[in-house]
Amino acid sequence: MTTSPLAELSTHVTDLIARIDRAATLADLHADEPFIVGKRSILSTLQKSLGALAPEERKSAGAQLQEARRGVEEAYHVRRTFLEEATRTQALEADRLDLGDVVVAKVSVPLAVGHPGIVAATQRQLEDVFVAMGFTVSDGPEVESDWYNFEALNIPPAHPARGMWDTFYVDLGEPETVVLRTHTSPTQVHLMEKAVAADSLPIHSVMPGRCYRRDTPDARHLAAFHQIEGLVVDRGISFADLAGVIETFTHSYFGPDISSRLRPAFFPFTEPSAEFEITCTICRGEGCRTCSQTGWIELGGCGMLDPAVLEAVGIDGDEWSGFAFGFGIDRCAQMRHQIADMRALIDNDVRFLRQFS
Ligand code: PHE
């Protein structure tokens, strides 16, 4: 009886698998391929030898050989996948930059840090000027009752002066009794009431804040804008004190070559009243289009406290007198920075805003 050509099959398979596992690199494995699963493999030689067998034997031997080949191919495939993976990992390792010893250079790219807007910055500068002059800074509500915004300021219902302030009414309580304040003057009233209640007169205070009017925005007006109000209540205060404060402020804020002047005007809560004007900051008083060739620009209103206002808050006008002034912070910023159109203040165009950092 002849020995089956497959007598050594399992040994061959073990050898082939050992050979596969010995391949240390993909290149080694590829080089060995013909000897393992290719034409020069012992498996192929055995395959050919099956032709000499009787048909019955050939069939079972063929199946056995097929099974063995499948096992070897599987081992080959597993090894190849492993070596491919190892090769890829090595390539990545080789490509990796070792930053361990590298001193990271300090890159001086400026961070995009914001800064206060022009109006906020102007408000702080104005507060600084007034604090240096001995004023405190006070705050008041933006939503006011009709009494604080108008009546206590000697502007009774149906008074024609209400036409000076186109008002936004808030839909609260009785119609037309709650308003978005049209000026900072109601804060004066709060301050005086508090001082009376606390028996803490005199008052030297400025009150900055946002105000609202039904103005259509244009180059010189915004519907939401900012004012700063000044209030002094003390003994023996005269109009000269008012004029002196305005002039001192003008020099401090705008510079020594910009002066102020007062022109008669009317406000229901001051008597006498004045508009205060400053030297045109564009032409420095020479006369230009902005100041209609006058050399002066109006900044705000002022005057001695009207006795009716002192009476409304319960201050004895025989003992105390005082003055008030108010002007637009946005207008101030516009003049100091020579901004042609005030709407630029609320457009949020960074090309504009960056100029004021
Ligand atoms: N409140 C006035 C206005 O808005 C300005 C003003 C304040 C006038 C104080 C006189 C005294 O127009």
Side-chain angles (χ1 to χ4, degrees), residues 217-237:
D218 64 23
R220 286 162 56 81
H221 298 90
L222 298 174
F225 58 102
H226 301 77
Q227 279 191 342
I228 185 162
E229 190 91 4
L231 174 71
V232 170
V233 181
D234 208 336
R235 294 186 176 90
I237 295 294

Side-chain angles (χ1 to χ4, degrees), residues 278-301:
I278 60 164
T279 314
C280 175
T281 53
I282 311 284
C283 63
R284 307 261 141 185
E286 295 292 314
C288 67
R289 249 189 25 222
T290 307
C291 61
S292 310
Q293 309 303 331
T294 63
W296 295 93
I297 287 215
E298 188 207 321
L299 194 59

Side-chain angles (χ1 to χ4, degrees), residues 231-271:
L231 174 71
V232 170
V233 181
D234 208 336
R235 294 186 176 90
I237 295 294
S238 76
F239 201 92
D241 297 312
L242 168 59
V245 164
I246 300 270
E247 180 73 350
T248 306
F249 154 73
T250 305
H251 286 323
S252 311
Y253 183 72
F254 289 100
D257 55 335
I258 304 289
S259 308
S260 65
R261 72 175 187 183
L262 303 177
R263 301 199 333 151
F266 170 78
F267 295 101
F269 33 92
T270 47
E271 182 59 36

Side-chain angles (χ1 to χ4, degrees), residues 189-207:
V189 180
H190 288 288
L191 226 55
M192 289 189 282
E193 279 183 344
K194 268 187 233 149
V196 168
D199 196 16
S200 62
L201 286 171
I203 300 170
H204 305 87
S205 194
V206 289
M207 296 142 268

Side-chain angles (χ1 to χ4, degrees), residues 26 72 96 107 117 133 181 191 215 225 233 286 305 348:
L26 261 186
V72 172
R96 203 176 69 159
V107 185
M133 290 166 68
R181 67 176 175 193
L191 226 55
D215 272 333
F225 58 102
V233 181
E286 295 292 314
L305 291 181
N348 279 340

Side-chain angles (χ1 to χ4, degrees), residues 315-336:
I315 290 179
D316 178 0
D318 291 331
E319 186 183 353
W320 303 95
S321 57
F323 62 79
F325 57 87
F327 57 90
I329 296 175
D330 318 73
R331 183 67 58 81
C332 228
Q334 182 179 32
M335 286 184 195
R336 176 142 162 187

Side-chain angles (χ1 to χ4, degrees), residues 20 39 65 96 98 104 126 143 175 213 221 250 271-272 283 290 292 352-353:
I20 287 169
K39 285 200 186 100
L65 193 57
R96 203 176 69 159
D98 184 0
V104 179
L126 292 170
V143 179
R213 286 186 202 171
H221 298 90
T250 305
E271 182 59 36
C283 63
T290 307
S292 310
F352 171 79
L353 298 174

Side-chain angles (χ1 to χ4, degrees), residues 27 29-30 41 51 83 96 105 132 160 167 176 226 228 230 315 349 352:
L29 190 66
H30 277 299
S41 160
L83 290 174
R96 203 176 69 159
T167 312
E176 302 198 356
H226 301 77
I228 185 162
I315 290 179
D349 184 331
F352 171 79

